[in-house]
Amino acid sequence: MSKESEPVNITDKSILPAFSGENLSLLEDLYASYRKDTLSVDSEWRALFSAYESNRDSFSLSGSPVVSQTVAPTGTLELSRVELLLNTYRNYGHYAAGIDPLGMRMPERTWLKKSIESFSPEELKKSVTHVAFGTSSLEKLISMFERIYCDTIGLEISHLDKQAEKSWFYKQVESDSFFSVPETSIQKQIFLDLIKAEYFEKFSGNKFPGKKRFSLEGGESLIVLLNSLLREAEFSSAEGVVLGMAHRGRLNVLANVLEKPLSKIFAEFNENFDPATPDYSDVKYHLGYSAIRKLSETKNLKVTLMFNPSHLEAVHPVVNGSVRARQTLAKDTLRNKYYGIVIHGDAAFAGQGVVAEALNLSKVEGFSTGGTIHIVLNNQIGFTTDPSDSRGGPHATDPARGYHVPVIHVNGDDAEAVYKAALLAIRYRHTFHKDIVIDLVVYRKLGHNETDEPSFTQPFLYKIIKKHPGALAGYEKILKERGNSDEFITLAKEKYQKELKNGLHDQREQDVKMEVDTMKGNWSSIHNSNKISVIPSKMELKELGRTLVQFPDGFKLHPKLERYYTTREQMVQEKKPLDWAAAESLALAGLLKDKFWVRFSGQDVSRGTFSHRHAVLADYNTGTKFSPFENITERGVEFVNSPLSEFAVLGYEFGYSLVDPYGLVIWEAQFGDFANGAQVIFDQFISSAEQKWHRKSALTMLLPHGYEGQGPEHSSARLERFLQMASQENMRIVNLTTPAQYFHALRRQMVLHDRKPLLVFTPKSLLRYTESFSELKDFYNDGFLPVIWDRLLNPKRVIFCSGKIYYDIQKVRDEKNLVHVSLVRVEQLYPFPEVELKQVINQYSNATEFVWAQEEPENMGANSYIRDQLIKLIPERAGLSVVSRPSSAVPAEGIYKLHEKEQNRIVKESLGVRV
């Protein structure tokens, strides 16, 4: 770089020439707005304002806040003033851009107006040289910048923290090519996309009146945008794209982007399902689909549209998790082979907190996918809510600013601008491997659904919409002006109309049935897998244990961890019983050895919330990281400490778990109590995905649970909520009492052919409670035991319980030598172990008292679920009593003395001992 082109240091007062007159007045106005928080600026503008603030009286200016060196001075026209003007366009042009197809959004031109008016008419006629446009008058250069930054595309990048990215955008748009008309083949493709988008909706509305379809009418250019993004993949290394979107326009996307057969879509309109197939439990505009798009003779692209519930933004992290898993399996370290596209609604993008969580994840290495392309399908209304009531800022995309994500605002009625926005977005993504947002500003021609009347709340808006011609009509007019024949236009319309008619005819005549697209690819072979034995041998376990206590030469453990790993080595050599962390390590190591892969994420999982895991170690002298699992496979277990997020992280891991059945994905809540921060993912995806969408997952969730007097937020993982969701064998729910049981529960996630989500209510105090530890023989002699019981002869009292409370009751029973009391641990709560419990109860034919004991309040925990199940098995003469905390609005006491008192009462009442 020559000295003349080096950026100017604006804080160096020695090089600042005199600066006065109207330009200084403009600077004062900008500074005043900045101080009032009504002006958003980048770091270089902030530095300028800081210098101005510290020395206003003698302040002078050189260069511009963003010194791009795109113009050179000519004659007496100062470079600094021109750069300031051009940067005003670059930074604030998007506020003045004509991005509203209805023309209702008033452009904000205050800063542009002031910048332009700072030049006299004579100065506007003077020459200036732009690096791309050459020499012209300043007036003409302003005109070109108006077209670039204030026409139907508004570029919002001033908030980016990397100057290289801003300069890249300037180079892309400040060029003659940005003004050029797309080649003829592209024009025709855009026109065909618009025809298909509009005609699909018209045909569906006419043939299926009254049926909900959440029409894309008013936003047809979404099809242009998506197809433009996918076609660009022909010139890249992309092999697959994962899409996520809510219901609006979903059927249109399925038909005209994924090219799902029209006959199958019409079968869904007619609800023509096959009674012999599993239940279809979701509506047509929530279903997913995968297809191979043929982009050219030599290029195919796999496109997957993820299923989605009505919780609009919940699919966002699910898509990203799916993309990351595909990249990992393909060894796509550059993150170019697979990427995600997420389509948002304007009200949802601004209003849903998971958007911010997921945008933050994109910046974290353990969750990055190399950039997601976000499309905000901006209908300029949320259900019936005006933008002024649904967000606090001028743009629906304002949340993206906080994460330094660039935004391209584009008028959806300008189809060629939409095409250019697509190219700009995907090229940015592949250049910088970061997220980018396209704000596709359109409108909603109908109400929230086809039966809704929008003019009740927006009468003026819908009068304008009713008269508005739409994107197809506007582009058809442009093509005719460019000389395209009426014959081409007519034939294009007739061809797609024929396809629609043929699709409906085929559905009716061939009786085409609904079909859920799932269990293909990697999942098609899962039921034929015979990879490993259920239980490893003693020798295998010992060898794994030895491997997990080996460290690289010169690696220095923390002194306290030296004792920790010495104890671990004694455990696997049968000199001491194994604790919970040792059992977990053996389970994961065994799966790695058997050619499965493991991903383990959550807050502080590397060490463990309770400082019990220590799976990733730091050299005491250098801080270098090492995991003993790397001794087994090069990849080891992928331990990922996550941001402080439950909703987005759990959604991400669920998406990750869907890609390959031969991997165990584990998510651990820091405390199980915080799982309710991810309740949408539990409710809408994990518990219901198999029934709604026929998608299976072995996602394993660890929820620390147990009453140790730590208060309402550190006691209960809300076991009752998960049991309420349990039905049709949709998941496995366990509350375990020994490390060996934990070992087998994790291992069977991969050993069993039928993949199910697993919820493990993991202990806290038991992690170091030696009475709960397991002998090595418990790992290789038995598999998982749904029920564990005392084999006492003729007990009078039988206590059923689950989890940590067992040890509290056992301790008092043994101390008091209550030999007439037997304890039965229900280790697996769901699916309910009816056969095993029935066998146990049959052994207690002389028992007269049966008790269900739990730590939780009576209205929480497993009580309401398990009581009805047990009563069916217990002799009628005996009945079943329940001992618990009283029904309560909170899970636990906040005062330790009260906790201790209640815990003692529960134990003694369970045993029938006087309290």
Coordinates of all heavy atoms in Angstrom, one line a residue, residues 284-355:
K284 N -50.1 -30.2 7.0 CA -49.3 -30.3 5.8 C -48.2 -29.2 5.7 O -47.2 -29.4 5.1 CB -50.2 -30.3 4.5 CG -51.1 -29.0 4.4 CD -52.0 -29.2 3.2 CE -53.0 -28.0 3.2 NZ -54.0 -28.0 4.3
Y285 N -48.5 -28.0 6.3 CA -47.6 -26.9 6.2 C -46.6 -26.9 7.3 O -45.9 -25.9 7.6 CB -48.3 -25.6 6.2 CG -49.6 -25.5 7.0 CD1 -49.5 -25.3 8.4 CD2 -50.8 -25.7 6.5 CE1 -50.6 -25.3 9.2 CE2 -52.0 -25.7 7.3 CZ -51.8 -25.5 8.6 OH -52.9 -25.4 9.4
H286 N -46.4 -28.1 8.0 CA -45.3 -28.3 9.0 C -44.4 -29.4 8.6 O -43.3 -29.5 9.2 CB -45.9 -28.7 10.4 CG -46.5 -27.5 11.1 ND1 -47.2 -27.7 12.3 CD2 -46.6 -26.2 10.8 CE1 -47.6 -26.5 12.7 NE2 -47.3 -25.6 11.8
L287 N -44.7 -30.1 7.5 CA -43.9 -31.3 7.2 C -42.6 -31.0 6.5 O -42.5 -29.9 5.8 CB -44.8 -32.2 6.3 CG -46.1 -32.7 6.9 CD1 -46.8 -33.6 5.9 CD2 -45.8 -33.5 8.2
G288 N -41.6 -31.8 6.6 CA -40.4 -31.7 6.0 C -40.3 -32.5 4.7 O -41.2 -33.2 4.3
Y289 N -39.2 -32.3 4.0 CA -39.0 -33.0 2.7 C -37.5 -32.9 2.3 O -36.9 -31.9 2.6 CB -39.9 -32.4 1.7 CG -40.0 -33.2 0.4 CD1 -40.7 -34.4 0.4 CD2 -39.3 -32.8 -0.8 CE1 -40.8 -35.2 -0.8 CE2 -39.4 -33.6 -1.9 CZ -40.1 -34.8 -1.9 OH -40.2 -35.5 -3.1
S290 N -37.0 -33.9 1.7 CA -35.7 -33.9 1.1 C -35.7 -34.2 -0.4 O -36.5 -35.0 -0.8 CB -34.7 -34.9 1.8 OG -34.5 -34.4 3.1
A291 N -34.9 -33.5 -1.2 CA -34.9 -33.8 -2.6 C -33.5 -33.5 -3.2 O -32.7 -32.8 -2.5 CB -35.9 -32.9 -3.3
I292 N -33.2 -34.1 -4.3 CA -32.0 -33.8 -5.0 C -32.3 -32.9 -6.2 O -33.1 -33.2 -7.1 CB -31.4 -35.1 -5.6 CG1 -31.1 -36.1 -4.5 CG2 -30.1 -34.8 -6.4 CD1 -30.0 -35.7 -3.5
R293 N -31.8 -31.7 -6.1 CA -32.0 -30.7 -7.2 C -30.9 -30.8 -8.2 O -29.7 -30.7 -7.9 CB -32.0 -29.3 -6.6 CG -33.3 -28.8 -6.0 CD -34.4 -28.5 -7.0 NE -33.9 -27.5 -8.0 CZ -34.1 -26.1 -7.8 NH1 -34.7 -25.7 -6.8 NH2 -33.7 -25.3 -8.7
K294 N -31.3 -31.0 -9.4 CA -30.3 -31.1 -10.5 C -30.1 -29.7 -11.1 O -31.0 -29.1 -11.7 CB -30.9 -32.0 -11.6 CG -29.8 -32.4 -12.7 CD -30.3 -33.4 -13.7 CE -29.3 -33.8 -14.7 NZ -28.1 -34.4 -14.1
L295 N -28.9 -29.2 -10.8 CA -28.6 -27.8 -11.1 C -28.1 -27.7 -12.6 O -28.3 -26.7 -13.3 CB -27.6 -27.2 -10.2 CG -28.1 -27.1 -8.7 CD1 -27.0 -26.5 -7.8 CD2 -29.4 -26.3 -8.6
S296 N -27.4 -28.8 -13.0 CA -26.8 -28.8 -14.3 C -26.5 -30.3 -14.6 O -26.8 -31.2 -13.9 CB -25.5 -28.0 -14.4 OG -24.5 -28.6 -13.6
E297 N -25.9 -30.5 -15.8 CA -25.6 -31.9 -16.2 C -24.6 -32.5 -15.2 O -24.6 -33.7 -15.1 CB -25.1 -31.9 -17.6 CG -26.1 -31.6 -18.7 CD -27.2 -32.5 -18.7 OE1 -27.0 -33.8 -18.5 OE2 -28.4 -32.1 -18.9
T298 N -23.8 -31.7 -14.6 CA -22.8 -32.3 -13.7 C -22.9 -31.9 -12.2 O -22.1 -32.4 -11.4 CB -21.4 -31.7 -14.2 OG1 -21.4 -30.3 -14.1 CG2 -21.1 -32.2 -15.6
K299 N -23.9 -31.2 -11.9 CA -24.1 -30.7 -10.5 C -25.4 -31.0 -9.9 O -26.5 -30.6 -10.4 CB -23.8 -29.2 -10.4 CG -23.9 -28.6 -9.0 CD -22.7 -29.0 -8.2 CE -22.7 -28.2 -6.9 NZ -21.6 -28.5 -6.0
N300 N -25.4 -31.8 -8.8 CA -26.6 -32.1 -8.1 C -26.5 -31.5 -6.7 O -25.4 -31.4 -6.1 CB -26.9 -33.6 -7.9 CG -27.3 -34.2 -9.2 OD1 -27.9 -33.5 -10.1 ND2 -27.0 -35.5 -9.4
L301 N -27.6 -31.1 -6.1 CA -27.6 -30.5 -4.7 C -28.7 -31.1 -3.9 O -29.8 -31.1 -4.3 CB -27.8 -29.0 -4.8 CG -27.7 -28.2 -3.5 CD1 -26.2 -28.1 -3.1 CD2 -28.3 -26.8 -3.7
K302 N -28.3 -31.7 -2.7 CA -29.3 -32.2 -1.9 C -29.9 -31.1 -1.0 O -29.2 -30.4 -0.3 CB -28.7 -33.3 -0.9 CG -29.8 -33.9 0.0 CD -29.3 -35.1 0.8 CE -30.4 -35.7 1.6 NZ -30.0 -36.8 2.5
V303 N -31.2 -30.9 -1.1 CA -31.9 -29.9 -0.4 C -32.9 -30.5 0.6 O -33.7 -31.3 0.2 CB -32.7 -29.0 -1.3 CG1 -33.3 -27.8 -0.6 CG2 -31.8 -28.5 -2.5
T304 N -32.8 -30.1 1.9 CA -33.6 -30.6 2.9 C -34.4 -29.5 3.6 O -33.7 -28.5 4.0 CB -32.8 -31.4 4.0 OG1 -32.1 -32.5 3.4 CG2 -33.7 -31.9 5.1
L305 N -35.7 -29.6 3.6 CA -36.5 -28.7 4.4 C -36.9 -29.3 5.7 O -37.6 -30.4 5.7 CB -37.7 -28.3 3.6 CG -38.7 -27.3 4.3 CD1 -38.1 -26.0 4.6 CD2 -40.0 -27.1 3.4
M306 N -36.4 -28.8 6.8 CA -36.7 -29.3 8.1 C -38.2 -29.2 8.4 O -38.8 -28.2 8.1 CB -35.9 -28.6 9.2 CG -34.4 -28.8 9.0 SD -33.8 -30.5 9.2 CE -33.9 -30.6 11.0
F307 N -38.7 -30.2 9.1 CA -40.1 -30.1 9.7 C -40.1 -28.9 10.7 O -39.0 -28.6 11.2 CB -40.5 -31.4 10.3 CG -39.4 -32.0 11.1 CD1 -39.0 -31.6 12.4 CD2 -38.6 -33.0 10.5 CE1 -38.0 -32.1 13.1 CE2 -37.6 -33.6 11.3 CZ -37.2 -33.1 12.5
N308 N -41.2 -28.4 10.9 CA -41.3 -27.2 11.8 C -42.6 -27.1 12.5 O -43.7 -27.3 11.9 CB -41.1 -25.9 11.0 CG -40.8 -24.7 11.9 OD1 -39.7 -24.6 12.4 ND2 -41.7 -23.9 12.1
P309 N -42.6 -26.9 13.8 CA -43.9 -26.6 14.5 C -44.3 -25.2 14.4 O -43.7 -24.4 13.7 CB -43.5 -26.9 16.0 CG -42.1 -26.5 16.1 CD -41.5 -26.8 14.8
S310 N -45.4 -24.9 15.0 CA -45.9 -23.5 14.9 C -45.2 -22.5 15.7 O -45.4 -21.3 15.6 CB -47.4 -23.4 15.3 OG -48.2 -24.0 14.3
H311 N -44.2 -23.0 16.5 CA -43.3 -22.1 17.3 C -42.3 -21.6 16.3 O -41.3 -22.3 16.0 CB -42.7 -22.8 18.4 CG -43.7 -23.2 19.5 ND1 -44.7 -24.1 19.2 CD2 -43.8 -22.8 20.8 CE1 -45.4 -24.3 20.3 NE2 -44.9 -23.5 21.3
L312 N -42.5 -20.4 15.7 CA -42.0 -20.0 14.5 C -40.5 -20.1 14.4 O -39.9 -20.5 13.4 CB -42.4 -18.5 14.2 CG -43.9 -18.3 14.2 CD1 -44.3 -16.9 13.9 CD2 -44.6 -19.2 13.2
E313 N -39.8 -19.6 15.4 CA -38.3 -19.5 15.3 C -37.6 -20.7 15.9 O -36.4 -20.8 15.9 CB -37.8 -18.3 16.0 CG -38.3 -17.0 15.3 CD -37.7 -16.8 13.9 OE1 -36.6 -17.3 13.7 OE2 -38.3 -16.2 13.1
A314 N -38.3 -21.7 16.5 CA -37.7 -22.8 17.2 C -36.8 -23.7 16.2 O -35.9 -24.3 16.7 CB -38.8 -23.7 17.8
V315 N -37.1 -23.7 15.0 CA -36.4 -24.5 14.0 C -35.0 -23.9 13.7 O -34.1 -24.6 13.2 CB -37.2 -24.7 12.7 CG1 -37.1 -23.5 11.8 CG2 -36.7 -26.0 12.0
H316 N -34.8 -22.6 14.0 CA -33.5 -22.0 13.7 C -32.3 -22.7 14.2 O -31.4 -23.1 13.4 CB -33.6 -20.5 14.3 CG -32.4 -19.7 14.0 ND1 -32.4 -18.3 14.3 CD2 -31.2 -19.9 13.5 CE1 -31.2 -17.8 14.0 NE2 -30.5 -18.8 13.5
P317 N -32.2 -23.0 15.5 CA -31.0 -23.8 16.0 C -31.0 -25.2 15.5 O -30.0 -25.8 15.4 CB -31.1 -23.7 17.5 CG -32.5 -23.4 17.8 CD -33.1 -22.6 16.7
V318 N -32.2 -25.8 15.3 CA -32.3 -27.2 14.8 C -31.6 -27.3 13.4 O -30.9 -28.2 13.2 CB -33.7 -27.6 14.8 CG1 -33.8 -29.1 14.2 CG2 -34.4 -27.6 16.1
V319 N -31.9 -26.3 12.6 CA -31.2 -26.3 11.2 C -29.7 -26.2 11.4 O -29.0 -27.0 10.8 CB -31.8 -25.1 10.4 CG1 -30.9 -24.9 9.2 CG2 -33.2 -25.4 10.0
N320 N -29.3 -25.3 12.3 CA -27.8 -25.2 12.4 C -27.1 -26.4 12.9 O -26.0 -26.8 12.5 CB -27.5 -24.0 13.3 CG -27.8 -22.7 12.6 OD1 -28.1 -22.6 11.4 ND2 -27.9 -21.6 13.4
G321 N -27.8 -27.1 13.9 CA -27.3 -28.4 14.4 C -27.2 -29.4 13.3 O -26.2 -30.2 13.2
S322 N -28.2 -29.5 12.5 CA -28.2 -30.5 11.4 C -27.1 -30.2 10.4 O -26.4 -31.1 9.9 CB -29.6 -30.4 10.7 OG -29.6 -31.3 9.6
V323 N -26.9 -28.9 10.1 CA -25.8 -28.5 9.2 C -24.4 -28.9 9.7 O -23.6 -29.5 9.0 CB -25.9 -27.0 8.9 CG1 -24.6 -26.6 8.1 CG2 -27.1 -26.7 8.1
R324 N -24.2 -28.6 11.0 CA -22.9 -28.9 11.6 C -22.6 -30.4 11.6 O -21.5 -30.8 11.3 CB -22.9 -28.3 13.0 CG -21.6 -28.6 13.9 CD -20.4 -28.0 13.3 NE -19.2 -28.3 14.2 CZ -18.6 -27.4 14.9 NH1 -19.0 -26.1 14.9 NH2 -17.6 -27.7 15.6
A325 N -23.7 -31.2 11.9 CA -23.5 -32.6 11.9 C -23.1 -33.1 10.5 O -22.2 -34.0 10.3 CB -24.7 -33.3 12.4
R326 N -23.7 -32.6 9.5 CA -23.4 -33.0 8.1 C -22.0 -32.6 7.7 O -21.2 -33.4 7.1 CB -24.4 -32.4 7.1 CG -25.8 -32.9 7.3 CD -26.8 -32.0 6.6 NE -28.2 -32.3 7.1 CZ -29.1 -33.0 6.5 NH1 -28.8 -33.6 5.3 NH2 -30.3 -33.2 7.0
Q327 N -21.6 -31.4 8.1 CA -20.2 -31.0 7.9 C -19.2 -31.9 8.6 O -18.2 -32.2 8.0 CB -20.1 -29.5 8.4 CG -20.8 -28.5 7.6 CD -20.8 -27.1 8.2 OE1 -20.5 -27.0 9.4 NE2 -21.1 -26.1 7.4
T328 N -19.5 -32.2 9.8 CA -18.6 -33.1 10.6 C -18.4 -34.4 10.0 O -17.3 -34.9 9.8 CB -19.0 -33.2 12.0 OG1 -19.1 -31.9 12.6 CG2 -18.0 -34.0 12.9
L329 N -19.5 -35.1 9.6 CA -19.5 -36.4 9.0 C -18.8 -36.4 7.6 O -18.2 -37.4 7.3 CB -20.9 -36.9 8.9 CG -21.6 -37.3 10.2 CD1 -23.1 -37.7 9.9 CD2 -20.9 -38.4 10.9
A330 N -18.9 -35.3 6.9 CA -18.3 -35.2 5.6 C -16.8 -34.6 5.7 O -16.2 -34.4 4.7 CB -19.1 -34.2 4.7
K331 N -16.3 -34.5 7.0 CA -15.0 -33.9 7.2 C -14.8 -32.6 6.5 O -13.8 -32.3 5.9 CB -13.9 -34.9 6.8 CG -13.9 -36.2 7.6 CD -12.8 -37.1 7.2 CE -12.6 -38.3 8.2 NZ -13.9 -39.0 8.5
D332 N -15.9 -31.8 6.5 CA -16.0 -30.5 5.8 C -15.5 -29.4 6.7 O -16.2 -28.6 7.3 CB -17.5 -30.3 5.4 CG -17.6 -28.9 4.7 OD1 -16.6 -28.4 4.2 OD2 -18.8 -28.5 4.6
T333 N -14.2 -29.4 7.0 CA -13.6 -28.5 7.9 C -13.6 -27.0 7.4 O -13.6 -26.1 8.2 CB -12.1 -28.8 8.2 OG1 -11.4 -28.9 6.9 CG2 -12.0 -30.2 8.8
L334 N -13.7 -26.8 6.1 CA -13.9 -25.5 5.6 C -15.3 -25.0 5.6 O -15.6 -23.8 5.4 CB -13.4 -25.5 4.1 CG -11.9 -25.8 3.9 CD1 -11.6 -25.7 2.4 CD2 -11.0 -24.8 4.6
R335 N -16.2 -25.9 5.9 CA -17.7 -25.6 6.1 C -18.2 -25.0 4.8 O -19.0 -24.0 4.8 CB -17.9 -24.7 7.3 CG -17.2 -25.2 8.5 CD -17.9 -24.8 9.8 NE -17.2 -25.4 11.0 CZ -17.1 -26.6 11.4 NH1 -17.8 -27.5 10.7 NH2 -16.5 -27.0 12.4
N336 N -17.9 -25.6 3.7 CA -18.4 -25.1 2.4 C -19.4 -26.1 1.7 O -20.1 -25.8 0.8 CB -17.2 -24.9 1.4 CG -16.5 -23.6 1.7 OD1 -17.1 -22.6 2.2 ND2 -15.2 -23.5 1.4
K337 N -19.3 -27.4 2.1 CA -20.1 -28.4 1.5 C -21.6 -28.3 1.9 O -22.4 -28.7 1.1 CB -19.5 -29.8 1.8 CG -18.1 -30.0 1.2 CD -17.7 -31.5 1.4 CE -16.3 -31.7 0.8 NZ -15.8 -33.1 1.1
Y338 N -21.8 -27.9 3.1 CA -23.2 -27.8 3.6 C -23.4 -26.5 4.3 O -22.5 -26.0 5.0 CB -23.5 -28.9 4.6 CG -23.5 -30.3 4.0 CD1 -22.3 -31.1 4.0 CD2 -24.6 -30.9 3.4 CE1 -22.2 -32.3 3.4 CE2 -24.6 -32.1 2.9 CZ -23.4 -32.9 2.9 OH -23.4 -34.1 2.3
Y339 N -24.5 -25.9 4.1 CA -24.8 -24.6 4.8 C -26.3 -24.6 5.0 O -27.1 -25.3 4.4 CB -24.3 -23.4 4.1 CG -24.9 -23.1 2.7 CD1 -26.0 -22.3 2.6 CD2 -24.4 -23.7 1.5 CE1 -26.6 -22.0 1.4 CE2 -24.9 -23.4 0.3 CZ -26.0 -22.5 0.2 OH -26.6 -22.3 -1.0
G340 N -26.7 -23.7 5.8 CA -28.2 -23.5 6.2 C -28.8 -22.3 5.7 O -28.1 -21.2 5.6
I341 N -30.1 -22.3 5.4 CA -30.9 -21.2 5.1 C -32.1 -21.2 6.0 O -32.8 -22.2 6.0 CB -31.4 -21.2 3.6 CG1 -30.2 -21.2 2.6 CG2 -32.3 -20.0 3.3 CD1 -30.6 -21.4 1.2
V342 N -32.3 -20.1 6.7 CA -33.4 -20.1 7.7 C -34.3 -18.9 7.3 O -33.8 -17.8 7.1 CB -32.9 -19.9 9.1 CG1 -34.1 -19.9 10.1 CG2 -32.0 -21.1 9.5
I343 N -35.6 -19.2 7.1 CA -36.5 -18.2 6.7 C -37.3 -17.8 7.9 O -38.0 -18.6 8.6 CB -37.5 -18.7 5.6 CG1 -36.6 -19.1 4.4 CG2 -38.4 -17.6 5.1 CD1 -37.3 -20.0 3.4
H344 N -37.3 -16.5 8.2 CA -38.0 -16.0 9.4 C -39.2 -15.0 9.0 O -39.2 -14.5 7.9 CB -37.0 -15.1 10.3 CG -35.7 -15.7 10.5 ND1 -35.3 -16.4 11.6 CD2 -34.6 -15.7 9.7 CE1 -34.1 -16.8 11.6 NE2 -33.6 -16.4 10.4
G345 N -40.1 -14.9 9.9 CA -41.1 -13.8 9.8 C -40.6 -12.5 10.4 O -39.7 -12.6 11.3
D346 N -41.0 -11.4 10.0 CA -40.5 -10.1 10.5 C -40.8 -10.0 12.0 O -40.0 -9.6 12.8 CB -41.0 -8.9 9.7 CG -42.5 -8.9 9.5 OD1 -43.1 -10.0 9.2 OD2 -43.2 -7.9 9.6
A347 N -42.1 -10.2 12.4 CA -42.4 -10.1 13.8 C -41.7 -11.1 14.6 O -41.3 -10.8 15.8 CB -43.9 -10.2 14.0
A348 N -41.5 -12.3 14.1 CA -40.8 -13.4 14.9 C -39.4 -13.1 15.0 O -38.8 -13.3 16.1 CB -41.1 -14.7 14.2
F349 N -38.7 -12.6 14.0 CA -37.3 -12.3 14.1 C -37.0 -11.3 15.1 O -36.0 -11.4 15.9 CB -36.7 -11.9 12.7 CG -35.2 -11.8 12.6 CD1 -34.5 -13.0 12.3 CD2 -34.5 -10.7 12.9 CE1 -33.1 -13.0 12.2 CE2 -33.1 -10.6 12.8 CZ -32.4 -11.8 12.4
A350 N -37.8 -10.3 15.2 CA -37.6 -9.2 16.2 C -38.1 -9.6 17.6 O -37.6 -9.1 18.6 CB -38.4 -8.0 15.7
G351 N -39.1 -10.5 17.6 CA -39.7 -10.8 18.9 C -39.3 -12.0 19.7 O -39.5 -12.1 20.9
Q352 N -38.7 -13.0 19.0 CA -38.4 -14.3 19.6 C -36.9 -14.3 20.1 O -36.0 -14.1 19.3 CB -38.6 -15.4 18.7 CG -40.1 -15.5 18.2 CD -41.0 -16.1 19.3 OE1 -40.8 -17.2 19.8 NE2 -41.9 -15.3 19.7
G353 N -36.8 -14.6 21.4 CA -35.4 -14.6 22.0 C -34.5 -15.6 21.5 O -33.3 -15.5 21.5
V354 N -35.1 -16.7 21.0 CA -34.2 -17.8 20.4 C -33.4 -17.3 19.2 O -32.3 -17.9 18.9 CB -35.0 -19.0 20.1 CG1 -35.9 -18.8 18.8 CG2 -34.1 -20.2 19.9
V355 N -33.9 -16.3 18.6 CA -33.1 -15.7 17.4 C -31.7 -15.2 17.9 O -30.7 -15.5 17.4 CB -33.9 -14.6 16.7 CG1 -33.0 -13.9 15.7 CG2 -35.1 -15.1 16.1

